[in-house]
Amino acid sequence: MSEGVEITAEIIAEHGLNPEEYNILLQQLGRTPNLNELGICSVMWSEHCSYKSSRIHLAKFPTTGKKVICGPGENAGVIDIGDGDAVIFKMESHNHPSFIEPYQGAATGVGGIMRDVFTMGARPIALLNALRFGEPGHYKTRSLVAGVVAGIGGYGNCVGVPTVGGEINFDAGYNGNILVNAMCVGLAKTDSIFYSAAKGVGNSILYVGARTGRDGIHGATMASAEFDDDAEEKRPTVQVGDPFTEKRLIEACLELMATGNIIAIQDMGAAGLTSSSIEMADKGGVGIEIDLDRVPQRENNMSAYEMMLSESQERMLIVLKPGTEAESRKIFTKWELDVDIIGKTTDTGRLVLQHQGEMVCDLPIAPLSDMAPKYDRPWVKTAKAPRLDAGTLPQRDPIDVLCRLMASPDMVSKRWVWEQYDRHVMGDTLMASASGCDAAIVRIRDSEKALAISSDCTPRYVQADPYRGGKQAVAESWRNLIAAGAKPIAITDCLNFGNPERPEIMGQLVQAIEGMSKACKKLSYPVVSGNVSLYNETKGSAIPPTPTVGGVGIIKDISMAIGFSSARQGDMLVLVGRTRGWLGSSIYAREIENLIGHRPPPVSLSTELQNGKFVRKAIKKSLLRAVHDLSDGGLACAAVDMAMASNVGIVLDPHSTLPDNAWYFGEDQARYLLSIDAANYNKLQQLSVKKGVLLSYVGEVKGDDIRLGSARIRLSDLQIKWEQWFPEFMEKIDANAGK
């Protein structure tokens, strides 16, 4: 493309700017922009980069705390875990690219989130992912699952960072727009954290990593629009990743960081060279000049427009201290990475681009950043969902229900998935979340500490009641860390919603944020990083609202780490929390009664706090053998999880007043299932009375059957049902290939 192209209304619309936004640009420039300038402004003002529909609501989140070193605004959040150690983490979406090109979309999502973490000085130590696919019978679902899982495994395994946890849901609401949310956690020293604000005048700007190609152009713009029938034609906007280059880039950047040569560093993510250069300059209050002829290129005759908007992967931009250029270049040359000085910082406050001897862009940085659109979009409150009365539902054989639930797509074993991920590379994974723990547990090398990490969201709750569902997503994340023996510290999030220009969708986003914020404040669980992904819909059909929460907690003594795989014969099963038999928006209501959209369970944050503190105290006192938080499928499904992970039978006694199915499968919140040595029961009771916590004996660990009252099934038979669904589902992919 040439800067001489006439800027027409059609071209402006193709760049995603509405007339009002284009007028703001004209006012700031005092002239008509050329095509390069239009392209740069369009990506910086896209929803994906500017958060123009969500910024005013994101301000409601608590973002500070005793352990928070850096909250939102940088590449990732940073928390202090003591002893000079810091954890750097973030979650981000790669939804649109993964739907169009599943393997590369998912792979580059993993690569991008790792760069957000190591650009701040951390070595990545763990990856998680939260995946939402369409209904299993949809013609695209199997191929999307296969491609996404292969992409995540292929990239993470090659780089050598363990994928330790995540979640997978299936729902017809994702048929036309899957979700791929990737999370990375890294470890750094508190005195060696790097930021992206460029400082000083005349300092060299170093380009490092892979060469720039034409892949990913307009990727940020694509991620800021809904799909239509032409979605497949957007394949060229999907980036192509190279994990081996990423591995070299990690090592080279960490080596350079140890030299003290860096003033600022930024990865090239969405909008590539454009966003990295503008964000660095804006944060540092400087200008930047770039000679595009010096940008390493892997394709011939690339235009200025293509270079600035390319989202080629594995690239970084670094501002160097004066006099360190030769030493810095040598490091990247040693790691066989492309490297060149492409520009310098200036005192002009402008982005100036030179290409083939001509100035092809001259934009004021701060005004364009300050004037980025910030909308208070109209929204309407989601209608109050009806309450589901468990007493009106037919009574059913609890074992039959249990088998159907445990063999349903959301509840089945995901072994087929996680066996494709290297969970133990680096040698520090104590527990992956698929192996009998509510959170992944990763050891901090050369210490007695460990991290607990989880990913959580229940979209069906959020769809029925965004405020309550938002609270629940945070509360469940908090519970999962507690159940692993950790003290929860902070969260990252990925807010996945439909078109914010529709008031009902904007209402979902606003209410979910308010619910999440309320929970974060009450639980002292701040938001330190995150991502907003909007326009997740196809032809006007939006995804279920999905505010995914990634939580991180600290276990100060590894010996206190706990899961639900260590129950033993003769243990007592004890329930923490009150059971009212809430079935609204439960997995039971959906899978067994074919009912959706009823009011989800209430979330008492004071009870969550009280019960969570009690469980942590009981773990510290070594009173518990195994712990599992209750979520999908309630008490019975949690007990079966524990039985299968521990390879033991269990007996559950039905409640005397509630309908059996409500007692077994209700999804009341703030509950934990404990397996304890009978000798510890009195001590546990005394602690519960002291803490004001409701404790109930519900059964025992016994034999090799699952017994719900008088009904029973052999554990091995149930395990076969639980394990076989996913492999059988994925075996059908070859038969459907090309159809």
PDB file of all heavy atoms in Angstrom, residues 204-226:
ATOM      1  N   SER A 204      19.285   4.468  21.582  1.00  0.00           N
ATOM      2  CA  SER A 204      19.069   3.552  20.458  1.00  0.00           C
ATOM      3  C   SER A 204      17.890   2.623  20.726  1.00  0.00           C
ATOM      4  O   SER A 204      17.670   2.166  21.847  1.00  0.00           O
ATOM      5  CB  SER A 204      20.322   2.710  20.211  1.00  0.00           C
ATOM      6  OG  SER A 204      21.401   3.536  19.831  1.00  0.00           O
ATOM      7  N   ILE A 205      17.153   2.333  19.641  1.00  0.00           N
ATOM      8  CA  ILE A 205      16.035   1.394  19.694  1.00  0.00           C
ATOM      9  C   ILE A 205      16.450   0.139  18.948  1.00  0.00           C
ATOM     10  O   ILE A 205      16.750   0.179  17.752  1.00  0.00           O
ATOM     11  CB  ILE A 205      14.768   2.004  19.065  1.00  0.00           C
ATOM     12  CG1 ILE A 205      14.355   3.258  19.839  1.00  0.00           C
ATOM     13  CG2 ILE A 205      13.636   0.988  19.051  1.00  0.00           C
ATOM     14  CD1 ILE A 205      13.251   4.039  19.184  1.00  0.00           C
ATOM     15  N   LEU A 206      16.462  -0.971  19.668  1.00  0.00           N
ATOM     16  CA  LEU A 206      16.934  -2.225  19.131  1.00  0.00           C
ATOM     17  C   LEU A 206      15.750  -3.114  18.786  1.00  0.00           C
ATOM     18  O   LEU A 206      14.866  -3.350  19.605  1.00  0.00           O
ATOM     19  CB  LEU A 206      17.829  -2.926  20.162  1.00  0.00           C
ATOM     20  CG  LEU A 206      18.746  -4.048  19.669  1.00  0.00           C
ATOM     21  CD1 LEU A 206      19.851  -3.474  18.781  1.00  0.00           C
ATOM     22  CD2 LEU A 206      19.358  -4.789  20.857  1.00  0.00           C
ATOM     23  N   TYR A 207      15.742  -3.606  17.570  1.00  0.00           N
ATOM     24  CA  TYR A 207      14.773  -4.612  17.106  1.00  0.00           C
ATOM     25  C   TYR A 207      15.443  -5.961  17.240  1.00  0.00           C
ATOM     26  O   TYR A 207      16.548  -6.171  16.734  1.00  0.00           O
ATOM     27  CB  TYR A 207      14.396  -4.311  15.659  1.00  0.00           C
ATOM     28  CG  TYR A 207      13.533  -5.349  14.953  1.00  0.00           C
ATOM     29  CD1 TYR A 207      12.252  -5.017  14.518  1.00  0.00           C
ATOM     30  CD2 TYR A 207      13.998  -6.631  14.666  1.00  0.00           C
ATOM     31  CE1 TYR A 207      11.462  -5.940  13.832  1.00  0.00           C
ATOM     32  CE2 TYR A 207      13.212  -7.562  13.992  1.00  0.00           C
ATOM     33  CZ  TYR A 207      11.955  -7.215  13.575  1.00  0.00           C
ATOM     34  OH  TYR A 207      11.182  -8.123  12.901  1.00  0.00           O
ATOM     35  N   VAL A 208      14.757  -6.929  17.903  1.00  0.00           N
ATOM     36  CA  VAL A 208      15.352  -8.255  18.059  1.00  0.00           C
ATOM     37  C   VAL A 208      14.299  -9.331  17.818  1.00  0.00           C
ATOM     38  O   VAL A 208      13.099  -9.104  17.979  1.00  0.00           O
ATOM     39  CB  VAL A 208      15.970  -8.444  19.465  1.00  0.00           C
ATOM     40  CG1 VAL A 208      17.029  -7.392  19.730  1.00  0.00           C
ATOM     41  CG2 VAL A 208      14.900  -8.403  20.553  1.00  0.00           C
ATOM     42  N   GLY A 209      14.760 -10.524  17.441  1.00  0.00           N
ATOM     43  CA  GLY A 209      13.859 -11.659  17.289  1.00  0.00           C
ATOM     44  C   GLY A 209      13.760 -12.138  15.862  1.00  0.00           C
ATOM     45  O   GLY A 209      14.749 -12.201  15.128  1.00  0.00           O
ATOM     46  N   ALA A 210      12.546 -12.458  15.463  1.00  0.00           N
ATOM     47  CA  ALA A 210      12.302 -12.952  14.108  1.00  0.00           C
ATOM     48  C   ALA A 210      12.171 -11.780  13.137  1.00  0.00           C
ATOM     49  O   ALA A 210      11.934 -10.635  13.532  1.00  0.00           O
ATOM     50  CB  ALA A 210      11.032 -13.794  14.089  1.00  0.00           C
ATOM     51  N   ARG A 211      12.271 -12.080  11.871  1.00  0.00           N
ATOM     52  CA  ARG A 211      12.078 -11.047  10.856  1.00  0.00           C
ATOM     53  C   ARG A 211      10.591 -10.747  10.676  1.00  0.00           C
ATOM     54  O   ARG A 211       9.737 -11.577  10.978  1.00  0.00           O
ATOM     55  CB  ARG A 211      12.679 -11.501   9.521  1.00  0.00           C
ATOM     56  CG  ARG A 211      14.173 -11.677   9.571  1.00  0.00           C
ATOM     57  CD  ARG A 211      14.753 -11.992   8.205  1.00  0.00           C
ATOM     58  NE  ARG A 211      16.199 -12.140   8.268  1.00  0.00           N
ATOM     59  CZ  ARG A 211      16.989 -12.245   7.206  1.00  0.00           C
ATOM     60  NH1 ARG A 211      16.439 -12.219   5.988  1.00  0.00           N
ATOM     61  NH2 ARG A 211      18.292 -12.368   7.358  1.00  0.00           N
ATOM     62  N   THR A 212      10.313  -9.576  10.149  1.00  0.00           N
ATOM     63  CA  THR A 212       8.938  -9.134   9.932  1.00  0.00           C
ATOM     64  C   THR A 212       8.434  -9.619   8.576  1.00  0.00           C
ATOM     65  O   THR A 212       9.104  -9.454   7.560  1.00  0.00           O
ATOM     66  CB  THR A 212       8.855  -7.594   9.986  1.00  0.00           C
ATOM     67  OG1 THR A 212       9.188  -7.171  11.306  1.00  0.00           O
ATOM     68  CG2 THR A 212       7.468  -7.099   9.628  1.00  0.00           C
ATOM     69  N   GLY A 213       7.246 -10.232   8.601  1.00  0.00           N
ATOM     70  CA  GLY A 213       6.607 -10.673   7.371  1.00  0.00           C
ATOM     71  C   GLY A 213       5.221 -10.077   7.245  1.00  0.00           C
ATOM     72  O   GLY A 213       4.864  -9.157   7.993  1.00  0.00           O
ATOM     73  N   ARG A 214       4.446 -10.624   6.349  1.00  0.00           N
ATOM     74  CA  ARG A 214       3.112 -10.068   6.103  1.00  0.00           C
ATOM     75  C   ARG A 214       2.016 -10.784   6.907  1.00  0.00           C
ATOM     76  O   ARG A 214       0.846 -10.494   6.734  1.00  0.00           O
ATOM     77  CB  ARG A 214       2.787 -10.128   4.607  1.00  0.00           C
ATOM     78  CG  ARG A 214       3.643  -9.172   3.766  1.00  0.00           C
ATOM     79  CD  ARG A 214       3.182  -9.107   2.321  1.00  0.00           C
ATOM     80  NE  ARG A 214       3.857  -8.056   1.583  1.00  0.00           N
ATOM     81  CZ  ARG A 214       4.954  -8.219   0.843  1.00  0.00           C
ATOM     82  NH1 ARG A 214       5.495  -9.432   0.750  1.00  0.00           N
ATOM     83  NH2 ARG A 214       5.512  -7.198   0.220  1.00  0.00           N
ATOM     84  N   ASP A 215       2.401 -11.711   7.779  1.00  0.00           N
ATOM     85  CA  ASP A 215       1.379 -12.407   8.559  1.00  0.00           C
ATOM     86  C   ASP A 215       0.862 -11.518   9.687  1.00  0.00           C
ATOM     87  O   ASP A 215       1.588 -10.723  10.269  1.00  0.00           O
ATOM     88  CB  ASP A 215       1.919 -13.719   9.131  1.00  0.00           C
ATOM     89  CG  ASP A 215       3.241 -13.558   9.871  1.00  0.00           C
ATOM     90  OD1 ASP A 215       4.057 -12.727   9.449  1.00  0.00           O
ATOM     91  OD2 ASP A 215       3.436 -14.257  10.882  1.00  0.00           O
ATOM     92  N   GLY A 216      -0.412 -11.647   9.972  1.00  0.00           N
ATOM     93  CA  GLY A 216      -0.997 -10.932  11.100  1.00  0.00           C
ATOM     94  C   GLY A 216      -1.400  -9.504  10.834  1.00  0.00           C
ATOM     95  O   GLY A 216      -1.850  -8.811  11.743  1.00  0.00           O
ATOM     96  N   ILE A 217      -1.257  -9.019   9.592  1.00  0.00           N
ATOM     97  CA  ILE A 217      -1.647  -7.632   9.313  1.00  0.00           C
ATOM     98  C   ILE A 217      -3.144  -7.480   9.556  1.00  0.00           C
ATOM     99  O   ILE A 217      -3.955  -8.270   9.106  1.00  0.00           O
ATOM    100  CB  ILE A 217      -1.274  -7.242   7.869  1.00  0.00           C
ATOM    101  CG1 ILE A 217       0.262  -7.229   7.720  1.00  0.00           C
ATOM    102  CG2 ILE A 217      -1.848  -5.879   7.506  1.00  0.00           C
ATOM    103  CD1 ILE A 217       0.740  -7.018   6.301  1.00  0.00           C
ATOM    104  N   HIS A 218      -3.478  -6.466  10.326  1.00  0.00           N
ATOM    105  CA  HIS A 218      -4.862  -6.186  10.733  1.00  0.00           C
ATOM    106  C   HIS A 218      -5.403  -7.207  11.734  1.00  0.00           C
ATOM    107  O   HIS A 218      -6.603  -7.343  11.901  1.00  0.00           O
ATOM    108  CB  HIS A 218      -5.805  -6.089   9.532  1.00  0.00           C
ATOM    109  CG  HIS A 218      -5.716  -4.781   8.813  1.00  0.00           C
ATOM    110  ND1 HIS A 218      -5.871  -3.574   9.456  1.00  0.00           N
ATOM    111  CD2 HIS A 218      -5.480  -4.494   7.510  1.00  0.00           C
ATOM    112  CE1 HIS A 218      -5.731  -2.587   8.574  1.00  0.00           C
ATOM    113  NE2 HIS A 218      -5.483  -3.127   7.386  1.00  0.00           N
ATOM    114  N   GLY A 219      -4.500  -7.911  12.423  1.00  0.00           N
ATOM    115  CA  GLY A 219      -4.947  -8.860  13.434  1.00  0.00           C
ATOM    116  C   GLY A 219      -5.711  -8.197  14.555  1.00  0.00           C
ATOM    117  O   GLY A 219      -6.729  -8.708  15.021  1.00  0.00           O
ATOM    118  N   ALA A 220      -5.244  -7.029  15.028  1.00  0.00           N
ATOM    119  CA  ALA A 220      -5.935  -6.327  16.109  1.00  0.00           C
ATOM    120  C   ALA A 220      -7.297  -5.840  15.658  1.00  0.00           C
ATOM    121  O   ALA A 220      -8.272  -5.862  16.421  1.00  0.00           O
ATOM    122  CB  ALA A 220      -5.086  -5.149  16.596  1.00  0.00           C
ATOM    123  N   THR A 221      -7.381  -5.403  14.399  1.00  0.00           N
ATOM    124  CA  THR A 221      -8.672  -4.949  13.882  1.00  0.00           C
ATOM    125  C   THR A 221      -9.637  -6.120  13.753  1.00  0.00           C
ATOM    126  O   THR A 221     -10.817  -6.007  14.088  1.00  0.00           O
ATOM    127  CB  THR A 221      -8.474  -4.278  12.510  1.00  0.00           C
ATOM    128  OG1 THR A 221      -7.499  -3.237  12.640  1.00  0.00           O
ATOM    129  CG2 THR A 221      -9.769  -3.676  12.011  1.00  0.00           C
ATOM    130  N   MET A 222      -9.137  -7.274  13.284  1.00  0.00           N
ATOM    131  CA  MET A 222      -9.986  -8.450  13.170  1.00  0.00           C
ATOM    132  C   MET A 222     -10.523  -8.872  14.534  1.00  0.00           C
ATOM    133  O   MET A 222     -11.677  -9.274  14.673  1.00  0.00           O
ATOM    134  CB  MET A 222      -9.207  -9.614  12.556  1.00  0.00           C
ATOM    135  CG  MET A 222     -10.007 -10.908  12.471  1.00  0.00           C
ATOM    136  SD  MET A 222      -8.987 -12.350  12.086  1.00  0.00           S
ATOM    137  CE  MET A 222      -8.021 -12.522  13.584  1.00  0.00           C
ATOM    138  N   ALA A 223      -9.692  -8.759  15.565  1.00  0.00           N
ATOM    139  CA  ALA A 223     -10.102  -9.157  16.906  1.00  0.00           C
ATOM    140  C   ALA A 223     -11.085  -8.172  17.516  1.00  0.00           C
ATOM    141  O   ALA A 223     -11.604  -8.410  18.600  1.00  0.00           O
ATOM    142  CB  ALA A 223      -8.875  -9.283  17.809  1.00  0.00           C
ATOM    143  N   SER A 224     -11.344  -7.070  16.827  1.00  0.00           N
ATOM    144  CA  SER A 224     -12.255  -6.046  17.325  1.00  0.00           C
ATOM    145  C   SER A 224     -13.535  -5.987  16.508  1.00  0.00           C
ATOM    146  O   SER A 224     -14.227  -4.972  16.486  1.00  0.00           O
ATOM    147  CB  SER A 224     -11.558  -4.673  17.296  1.00  0.00           C
ATOM    148  OG  SER A 224     -10.346  -4.713  18.011  1.00  0.00           O
ATOM    149  N   ALA A 225     -13.840  -7.070  15.811  1.00  0.00           N
ATOM    150  CA  ALA A 225     -15.056  -7.118  14.995  1.00  0.00           C
ATOM    151  C   ALA A 225     -15.655  -8.510  15.082  1.00  0.00           C
ATOM    152  O   ALA A 225     -14.952  -9.493  15.301  1.00  0.00           O
ATOM    153  CB  ALA A 225     -14.726  -6.778  13.541  1.00  0.00           C
ATOM    154  N   GLU A 226     -16.973  -8.576  14.899  1.00  0.00           N
ATOM    155  CA  GLU A 226     -17.634  -9.872  14.936  1.00  0.00           C
ATOM    156  C   GLU A 226     -17.446 -10.590  13.604  1.00  0.00           C
ATOM    157  O   GLU A 226     -17.081  -9.986  12.590  1.00  0.00           O
ATOM    158  CB  GLU A 226     -19.115  -9.706  15.260  1.00  0.00           C
ATOM    159  CG  GLU A 226     -19.908  -8.890  14.245  1.00  0.00           C
ATOM    160  CD  GLU A 226     -21.350  -8.703  14.696  1.00  0.00           C
ATOM    161  OE1 GLU A 226     -21.629  -7.762  15.437  1.00  0.00           O
ATOM    162  OE2 GLU A 226     -22.187  -9.523  14.285  1.00  0.00           O
TER     163      GLU A 226
END
